[in-house]
Amino acid sequence: MKVFFSGTHRERSPQDTLAAITPLLPEFGITRLADVTGLDVLGVPVVMSVRPLARTLSVSQGKGATLDLARISAAMEAIELDHAERAVPAAELAGVPAGQLGLPYPVLALEQHAGSLLTGRTPLDWITARTIGDGSNVLVPRQAVFMGRDLRDGWRSYTLTASSNGLASGNNVSEATVHALYEVIERDATSALGIVPVRERHYVDPATVNEPYCAGLIDRIRSAGAWLEIVHTPSRFGVPAFACYLWHEDAAAAMVVGSGAHGDPAVALSRAITEAAQSRLTFIAGTRDDIVAATYLPPDGFARPTTPVAARPWDPAAYGTTAAYDTCAEEAAALAAAVATHTGHEPMAVDLADRAEFAVVKVMCPGLTYAARHEIPRHEEASAP
């Protein structure tokens, strides 16, 4: 039963979750949770989680309505990655082409590298997942789940790729599955947004948002002198989704973006706003090695951006389904059914952890798109003359 609804939906209070996971942090190589909120002028809580011996990202970030929620978010981001690196089951079948297995989904519809050479005859290693709808067992490529970096003898081609898209945690398996499904739905929606010209997008006037938590975030950001643009991102599954672009003159060469999807439009919007604020702190703190040098150009010569067309008032009824679910299990089943209806394929999940303190899952939805990755293009950004 859900018990917490401020900026997110949870089946355990944040205080209880934080108390449960804090003693476990060393088990997953997490050496510290650092509050980096004060590095920015916005004041949106952001926390950095450090894993020095990580096999992928050694620094993760989390955000939230409160500092405790940001601590939970950062810790669980790191715990999720640790499980994708170290807890993926060993292959049950090795070197078997998909074409020999009679799979209920096309393997070519899974996430792949650009220029992938995957075919139905490509030898792959396989592990067991479950369909989210009825819980039946189905084989999935281990390569689509495992995110660790390992050494191998011999050559290997670019085929399937594993990413953190659909990798999620929660207080139990159902809650983790819900978070993962909303993430893959969000990425599918924002992948479509990336090709929509800015003048054809549907903008929301930030000043008209009257949901208390989101309104508070917007007031905090605008009071700091930042520019915020909210874009409604229609989802083919009817799930409310938004993208938020954020700019401040103190880092005028950088326009950051965040996105979010949820059955409750206010939660979807809050996720987009806080993710944009988290993205600013990513380059302020220098927590990633792939930040382009142009991000740090001096502010001189950059103009404050503007929204190219008139923004519409906040209207939750116009953004998609807002069905309320008492439990995450009900919500996961409904989301899985919606995805299956539109793609023709059942979403699948690999359970990487199911323990009293938390659960971690990796969800795969053949037929969904993940093209936006860390960016959602906005081609009329402010630029140097």
Side-chain angles (χ1 to χ4, degrees):
M1 187 71 66
K2 295 181 181 180
V3 299
F4 186 80
F5 300 93
S6 180
T8 184
H9 289 187
R10 300 282 182 179
E11 293 192 354
R12 181 190 290 167
S13 73
Q15 295 79 12
D16 289 345
T17 298
L18 190 59
I21 65 174
T22 298
L24 305 177
L25 299 184
E27 179 180 339
F28 306 106
I30 300 171
T31 58
R32 64 190 173 111
L33 298 179
D35 176 11
V36 294
T37 308
L39 297 180
D40 197 0
V41 297
L42 302 182
V44 176
V46 176
V47 169
M48 184 172 70
S49 177
V50 181
R51 276 190 315 141
L53 297 180
R55 300 169 75 178
T56 53
L57 296 177
S58 59
V59 177
S60 301
Q61 289 192 143
K63 73 285 186 187
T66 66
L67 191 55
D68 276 355
L69 284 171
R71 288 190 178 105
I72 293 169
S73 176
M76 295 314 299
E77 285 277 341
I79 289 172
E80 291 162 16
L81 286 173
D82 184 82
H83 280 76
E85 296 168 3
R86 306 174 196 276
V88 178
E92 300 167 31
L93 294 175
V96 179
Q100 297 181 9
L101 296 176
L103 300 173
Y105 63 91
V107 72
L108 293 177
L110 296 175
E111 186 180 329
Q112 299 179 52
H113 286 281
S116 168
L117 301 176
L118 181 68
T119 73
R121 299 180 180 179
T122 305
L124 297 170
D125 296 343
W126 300 87
I127 59 177
T128 297
R130 57 177 172 85
T131 58
I132 297 172
D134 61 12
S136 59
N137 289 341
V138 59
L139 290 172
V140 296
R142 188 176 188 271
Q143 191 175 337
V145 181
F146 176 66
M147 290 185 64
R149 298 292 182 261
D150 56 358
L151 297 175
R152 295 185 184 180
D153 294 331
W155 176 84
R156 57 180 172 180
S157 64
Y158 279 111
T159 54
L160 293 167
T161 181
S163 73
S164 61
N165 187 34
L167 178 65
S169 57
N171 290 299
N172 52 52
V173 169
S174 294
E175 188 178 288
T177 303
V178 166
H179 293 317
L181 286 168
Y182 276 132
E183 182 170 81
V184 295
I185 288 171
E186 168 201 322
R187 302 290 172 76
D188 184 77
T190 54
S191 294
L193 177 67
I195 61 174
V196 177
V198 293
R199 294 187 176 275
E200 297 177 15
R201 297 181 178 185
H202 302 286
Y203 298 96
V204 178
D205 183 355
T208 66
V209 176
N210 55 13
E211 194 284 326
Y213 171 57
C214 291
L217 284 172
I218 292 169
D219 287 345
R220 186 180 302 178
I221 289 169
R222 300 179 81 180
S223 295
W227 173 87
L228 179 70
E229 181 178 79
I230 302 173
V231 185
H232 173 226
T233 308
S235 164
R236 53 178 163 153
F237 307 106
V239 173
F242 298 92
C244 289
Y245 293 88
L246 180 59
W247 179 92
H248 194 283
E249 62 184 0
D250 63 359
M255 181 183 290
V256 296
V257 61
S259 56
H262 195 273
D264 181 342
V267 173
L269 179 59
S270 71
R271 289 181 175 178
I273 295 171
T274 54
E275 185 174 272
Q278 175 183 288
S279 296
R280 255 182 66 87
L281 273 160
T282 297
F283 71 77
I284 290 172
T287 55
R288 293 184 65 103
D289 293 331
D290 57 356
I291 302 173
V292 297
T295 302
Y296 300 101
L297 287 174
D300 297 339
F302 289 87
R304 188 180 185 88
T306 58
T307 299
V309 298
R312 304 172 183 178
W314 171 254
D315 181 13
Y319 304 136
T321 58
T322 57
Y325 300 96
D326 292 331
T327 69
C328 288
E330 295 171 351
E331 194 165 9
L335 291 171
V339 170
T341 297
H342 285 82
T343 65
H345 308 297
E346 289 280 351
M348 304 167 291
V350 176
D351 298 329
L352 299 177
D354 182 9
R355 45 194 291 179
E357 300 88 357
F358 63 84
V360 177
V361 304
K362 168 67 176 181
V363 162
M364 288 161 285
C365 297
L368 266 64
T369 304
Y370 180 34
R373 298 193 178 267
H374 301 299
E375 297 181 359
I376 308 171
R378 185 185 187 279
H379 297 295
E380 293 187 8
E381 296 178 5
S383 58

